[in-house]
Amino acid sequence: MSPNVPNTLRLMNKSLVLNVIREHTPLSRAQIAKISGITKATISEIVTELLDEKIIYESGMTEGGLGRKGVMVNFDANHGVGVGIDLGGTKISLSLFNLNAELLATAQTETYKVATRAEFLQHFNHAIRQFLNKHAVSADKLKVIGIATPGIVDYHHGIVLEGSPNLPEWENIPLADEVSAVFKVPVVLENDIRSALIGEMWRGKCQRVHSAALIGVGTGLGAALLMDGKIIRGANNAAGEIGYMMFSREHLSHNWRNKGCFEVHASGSGISQRYQELSGQDLSAEEISKLAQQGDPLAESLFRELADYLAIGILNIVAIANPEKIILTGGVTQSAPQFLPYIQAHINQHTFSQTLIQIEQSELGTQAPLYGIAVLALNQVYPSIQFMSDAQLS
């Protein structure tokens, strides 16, 4: 591009042209100029740059008309791929995504039952390598890896600050650097629920929404917030750690360090723990859910308790953030028919016309964090690609 054009404007024009091509592919240079409002000469320079970078390619000619035919240019979504990973307390999901943040393939494995971080990372890197080999991804094709993990995550530096009790020694880990050193590509790290919220904004129930909360009710309990178009991380990246919410004076006298008060009462592992304490039986949340459906009094009472605590937590979020939408996700929400009506009834009773909100269940489910981490990862390595131009993700 002409050297006398200020660099900021050059980058803005290049980003605009790339996204016009991506969203409307295929297009001629004249069509790009018409849509973007940029001169044909500048379009020609930018297209030449993008062709050199191999992120677009030429194919075919414009049809019809009496004038000179133009060569069509196309966005090459498969110029490169990334791997997205969602680290769960019980399952690990992997995905392959293209430059359009579309999921091309997925796989799932049980979370490794190991005692140390070193063992976990050894299994983890091996699983990524196997996934890449299975899909014949060459080293030059792999552009980025994104990892969604539980706990408090420093997104900008790729560090797990305080991790999940369901993963071994999962704190103060420069996880992005460690994985990057193995695979020789940039690695982007984010909290799993925050990634899932971005996934809902990209492909789910939070599209074109500017204020929302996503609550993950799975092995653990967490939340992510979108406020006025901005993803909220907090001063020390701990925004959304609602598992540590407390609800009474008595709760102040307990030590909730290993598992927060809210998480004990409203998560899969919390339900299992409480059922074992009260019955002596070690059952999974899924097994307890089945017992509740069969009329087991203890199982039923624990799911009613979960509904009550979730309702209180949601009402507090509504009072603070006044979101347009609240979405529930996570493994425990598969049992939503058993508790969602009770939550909604409490919400209806304790909100007003300006704060009344319908609690919805995610339709993306386990794909939400994979979509979200794909968008975040691509934002890092291809900042010119705009997935949600009206949202501030980083």
Side-chain angles (χ1 to χ4, degrees), residues 193 215-222 266-268 306 310 328-333 339:
I193 306 300
I215 300 175
V217 192
T219 305
L221 180 71
S267 71
L306 175 141
L310 276 176
L328 299 183
T329 190
V332 174
T333 62
F339 59 83

Side-chain angles (χ1 to χ4, degrees), residues 102-282:
E102 296 166 328
L103 303 188
L104 306 176
T106 59
Q108 197 172 79
T109 183
E110 297 296 314
T111 302
Y112 320 117
K113 302 291 194 295
V114 293
T116 69
R117 178 197 307 174
E119 289 177 281
F120 189 95
L121 289 176
Q122 186 177 5
H123 286 287
F124 183 57
N125 289 330
H126 179 67
I128 297 172
R129 183 72 67 194
Q130 281 189 315
F131 186 67
L132 290 169
N133 291 340
K134 178 181 178 181
H135 296 286
V137 177
S138 59
D140 65 313
K141 196 82 167 175
L142 180 66
K143 304 300 182 183
V144 67
I145 294 173
I147 303 172
T149 176
I152 300 173
V153 172
D154 183 342
Y155 164 75
H156 294 289
H157 298 97
I159 300 171
V160 179
L161 300 173
E162 291 185 27
S164 165
N166 304 304
L167 298 174
E169 303 174 337
W170 213 245
E171 59 183 23
N172 296 319
I173 317 170
L175 186 60
D177 285 347
E178 293 203 20
V179 177
S180 181
V182 174
F183 294 96
K184 313 302 181 189
V185 295
V187 175
V188 175
L189 192 66
E190 182 55 288
N191 169 270
D192 55 347
I193 306 300
R194 212 167 284 139
S195 297
L197 175 56
I198 294 168
E200 293 287 344
M201 293 163 62
W202 174 233
R203 283 287 185 262
K205 289 192 170 183
C206 292
Q207 294 179 66
R208 295 172 293 280
V209 170
H210 291 88
S211 294
L214 180 73
I215 300 175
V217 192
T219 305
L221 180 71
L225 291 173
L226 171 72
M227 293 183 67
D228 299 330
K230 178 178 173 59
I231 292 292
I232 304 301
R233 291 184 172 84
N236 295 298
N237 303 285
E241 289 295 316
I242 62 170
Y244 291 93
M245 277 186 178
M246 287 178 264
F247 301 93
S248 72
R249 291 180 67 190
E250 290 73 22
H251 289 158
L252 290 170
S253 62
H254 290 267
N255 180 358
W256 303 104
R257 183 70 182 170
N258 292 326
K259 188 184 287 291
C261 172
F262 197 3
E263 189 168 298
V264 165
H265 292 90
S267 71
S269 59
I271 285 177
S272 296
Q273 176 184 316
R274 287 177 58 71
Y275 193 89
Q276 185 174 21
E277 289 171 354
L278 296 169
S279 72
Q281 292 180 272
D282 184 11

Side-chain angles (χ1 to χ4, degrees), residues 359-374:
I359 311 305
E360 300 180 47
Q361 191 176 350
S362 170
E363 292 177 352
L364 287 181
T366 57
Q367 288 193 325
L370 297 175
Y371 275 119
I373 202 64

Side-chain angles (χ1 to χ4, degrees), residues 367-382:
Q367 288 193 325
L370 297 175
Y371 275 119
I373 202 64
V375 168
L376 286 172
L378 290 170
N379 271 347
Q380 190 92 339
V381 291
Y382 291 100

